[in-house]
Amino acid sequence: ARRKDGSTFHIELGLTEVDLGGGKYIFCGFVKDITEIKRHRRSLDRAKSTAAIDKEDDGENEDGGRSSSGRGVPPRVEWCLTILSEFVDNYGFGNAGNASREDEDDDESSLDCSISDLKASFNGTRGNKTSGLVTMRDTMVVDAVATIPNLLEELLLIEDPEVRSRIFDMSIVHKVLFNTDSVGDGAWFVDMLDKSIRVQKQKVLDSNLTGADVDTAEGRAVQLQLRMAQEQCRFLAEGAVFYLERVSELDIQDDLYVFHHMRLSEQVTHKNGGGVNEMISTGDVNHFIQHREQLFECVGNLKGLIRRICVLEDDLVKRAAATPVIRRMLDKIMFSPFATLAALFDGINHCLLMVSFRLGPAPALFHLSKLDETFQPQQYLLASATLTASVFYFATKVIHTGLAKYAVSENLFWSDAFTFWSFLETAPLLMTVFSSIAVDVVLRQRSYTDSENDSEIPFFLRTLVAITTPLLWLRILAFVK
């Protein structure tokens, strides 16, 4: 809820139905501020974490793992989502069966009765409603659920994968995911990714623990805290990637507009013996594609999304990159005018790098003698100047890319520093510099000396040029990739 000053706070909302007579009903709500209760729960969570550390120190943890308070979905929340799914799928509980749950207490039984009365009130008025009002009614339900603050974040933080999958398989959650209002400004999703990359390995170094201190109670406590934080970060990252996967899996029936059209034409289609495909028109397909593109664009335009995903673990990065949401965003970036011009400029520089090396230092090997009249110094100087400019351009780009990765995350920088593709970016440039300098030094030395062996090519120069040429070709292939 929101106070008059604009600040927000957590509430507990209780609803009850009041019969005014004459078929008129009103619903009364009672709001309770539960800020202190949530603060107390956080204190209990911290106490449980401290107890787990103490238990690890005393050797009482037989499994050798952490004891954490599992985060699940409250039974009433799951039950309410089930009821809302029936409401949306069956036009106000028209065809929905009675909801049944196990392990009910007295409060939950009374809540069942109140919901049953609510279903009866809707069914009693359903015959007097037009199809347009029915459509408006479930649309209002989906819009209202989609605008609940932090709803998707709380559902994504369910620790049990089976429960989380069951929740996200509900039709109400599918339709909320398809609603762009559920994304909002995306701050909650970006915050999940930010929390998932905050734990770095240097925290172990920050603890100033030596090898001997690791076996102490303090050292084990620090290690346990770090392990728990890393597991929490992994859990948050998996939740964010799970959201991208679920958004990418939305189909045409999750579009509420198409869903209404299909339900309204269902009876006619069944009479004619048609199937589901006959209930879907070209306009429905276009509407679904248009709104799905808007949803993908809304998620893909979140500030720093790609940068944050790149910092995650490799398996999560691959899962995220395989989703249509991220693929469309990457395609949009790659084929933008700026990216196209940058790629064209890099391609031209790669060609200049190879051609200038083949016209400069490489042919100069065969003209090392100062008596060689076929040597063309103008061509050599021009090729060397072009080669220097190309090497400087690519070296500056490699350095800037490395600094950008290091600014994002040290783990990202060091994980990419020793890969094969990083080797193909730096090794050809270094070999080109060494070959050019070596050839230039030998040319200058032999221009001042008279020797019978001036025309002989030194072995180390042959080796440098022979290695540099294929490395340059590999760099071009890496650029094309």
Side-chain angles (χ1 to χ4, degrees):
R2 189 179 300 276
R3 298 186 179 92
K4 291 183 178 181
D5 59 0
S7 61
T8 59
F9 63 99
H10 296 279
I11 64 170
E12 180 178 319
L13 177 63
L15 292 175
T16 184
E17 181 183 8
V18 178
D19 188 359
L20 300 179
K24 296 181 179 181
Y25 297 88
I26 63 172
F27 294 92
C28 295
F30 301 91
V31 178
K32 178 181 178 181
D33 187 353
I34 60 172
T35 304
E36 293 297 329
I37 297 178
K38 293 186 71 67
R39 184 180 294 111
H40 179 63
R41 288 177 180 175
R42 287 194 293 268
S43 302
L44 290 178
D45 291 339
R46 287 194 295 268
K48 290 180 180 180
S49 300
T50 305
I53 296 173
D54 296 338
K55 193 173 183 179
E56 177 76 12
D57 296 338
D58 297 336
E60 297 178 1
N61 193 342
E62 298 178 357
D63 297 334
R66 67 180 180 92
S67 176
S68 61
S69 57
R71 186 166 187 173
V73 56
R76 292 191 179 187
V77 173
E78 183 176 358
W79 182 64
C80 288
L81 291 175
T82 304
I83 294 298
L84 290 175
S85 297
E86 294 179 355
F87 179 88
V88 173
D89 292 342
N90 297 280
Y91 286 162
F93 304 116
N95 300 320
N98 293 328
S100 62
R101 293 181 299 143
E102 298 179 356
D103 302 330
E104 297 176 337
D105 53 16
D106 295 338
D107 294 335
E108 293 172 347
S109 298
S110 62
L111 188 59
D112 283 342
C113 295
S114 63
I115 291 296
S116 299
D117 296 338
L118 181 63
K119 292 167 60 177
S121 66
F122 272 113
N123 292 332
T125 58
R126 183 170 180 263
N128 299 326
K129 302 291 184 180
T130 62
S131 61
L133 291 178
V134 171
T135 299
M136 182 184 300
R137 191 167 59 190
D138 55 5
T139 302
M140 292 174 60
V141 170
V142 173
D143 292 340
V145 176
T147 55
I148 296 177
N150 302 324
L151 172 64
L152 290 180
E153 181 182 7
E154 293 296 328
L155 296 180
L156 290 171
L157 294 179
I158 299 174
E159 290 190 352
D160 191 345
E162 295 183 0
V163 176
R164 184 173 62 181
S165 298
R166 184 171 68 249
I167 293 296
F168 276 86
D169 286 338
M170 296 181 178
S171 61
I172 182 65
V173 180
H174 275 218
K175 291 173 176 56
V176 167
L177 286 175
F178 196 79
N179 194 317
T180 54
D181 292 338
S182 63
V183 182
D185 58 358
W188 62 271
F189 185 68
V190 174
D191 186 58
M192 284 187 65
L193 290 173
D194 286 338
K195 291 179 181 178
S196 66
I197 61 178
R198 284 176 184 171
V199 174
Q200 302 292 344
K201 293 182 178 179
Q202 62 266 24
K203 285 190 176 181
V204 178
L205 301 178
D206 295 339
S207 61
N208 296 323
L209 294 177
T210 62
D213 294 333
V214 174
D215 296 331
T216 62
E218 180 185 359
R220 290 194 299 271
V222 172
Q223 288 182 335
L224 180 60
Q225 289 177 346
L226 180 61
R227 185 166 66 251
M228 294 173 60
Q230 289 175 337
E231 291 177 1
Q232 180 67 13
C233 288
R234 169 78 185 188
F235 171 69
L236 291 172
E238 286 182 343
V241 175
F242 180 81
Y243 171 76
L244 295 176
E245 293 174 339
R246 284 294 180 165
V247 170
S248 301
E249 293 172 359
L250 297 174
D251 56 24
I252 192 170
Q253 295 188 19
D254 299 322
D255 186 349
L256 203 57
Y257 172 85
V258 179
F259 180 75
H260 290 152
H261 183 267
M262 292 175 59
R263 293 302 300 268
L264 290 175
S265 59
E266 184 176 5
Q267 295 180 351
V268 177
T269 305
H270 283 176
K271 290 180 180 180
N272 296 333
V276 176
N277 292 332
E278 296 184 11
M279 292 188 292
I280 301 176
S281 64
T282 304
D284 294 335
V285 175
N286 294 333
H287 186 275
F288 167 72
I289 294 176
Q290 179 182 358
H291 283 72
R292 186 181 62 175
E293 292 294 335
Q294 293 178 359
L295 177 63
F296 285 2
E297 185 176 359
C298 183
V299 176
N301 289 338
L302 296 180
K303 185 177 180 180
L305 177 61
I306 297 298
R307 174 172 59 87
R308 289 174 171 86
I309 290 178
C310 290
V311 187
L312 303 180
E313 298 181 12
D314 291 341
D315 60 326
L316 297 180
V317 173
K318 292 178 181 178
R319 284 174 53 187
T323 59
V325 179
I326 302 301
R327 286 208 308 267
R328 290 171 184 265
M329 182 180 180
L330 292 176
D331 291 341
K332 182 179 179 180
I333 295 175
M334 290 172 60
F335 293 100
S336 63
F338 175 79
T340 304
L341 291 176
L344 179 62
F345 187 71
D346 285 350
I348 294 175
N349 275 278
H350 274 95
C351 294
L352 290 176
L353 181 65
M354 174 59 73
V355 172
S356 59
F357 181 78
R358 296 301 301 171
L359 294 179
L365 287 175
F366 305 98
H367 306 282
L368 295 178
S369 176
K370 67 178 182 179
L371 301 178
D372 190 347
E373 297 180 355
T374 59
F375 179 68
Q376 300 179 0
Q378 293 83 3
Q379 174 182 318
Y380 173 77
L381 292 175
L382 180 61
S384 297
T386 305
L387 182 64
T388 302
S390 298
V391 170
F392 179 79
Y393 167 76
F394 286 118
T396 304
K397 188 173 182 180
V398 169
I399 293 173
H400 285 176
T401 303
L403 292 176
K405 292 180 179 178
Y406 189 84
V408 172
S409 170
E410 292 185 20
N411 290 339
L412 176 64
F413 173 79
W414 290 113
S415 62
D416 291 344
F418 301 102
T419 60
F420 175 72
W421 303 109
S422 296
F423 171 78
L424 290 184
E425 286 186 355
T426 56
L429 299 179
L430 295 176
M431 293 299 296
T432 301
V433 172
F434 292 152
S435 300
S436 302
I437 293 176
V439 171
D440 190 74
V441 169
V442 173
L443 283 175
R444 292 178 182 276
Q445 288 179 349
R446 294 194 176 184
S447 64
Y448 295 105
T449 60
D450 294 329
S451 174
E452 297 178 356
N453 298 325
D454 280 352
S455 59
E456 294 182 2
I457 303 176
F459 176 76
F460 77 94
L461 283 182
R462 286 179 178 270
T463 305
L464 284 176
V465 174
I467 295 176
T468 303
T469 302
L471 285 178
L472 289 175
W473 282 114
L474 287 176
R475 196 182 200 282
I476 294 177
L477 292 178
F479 164 74
V480 174
K481 175 185 179 298

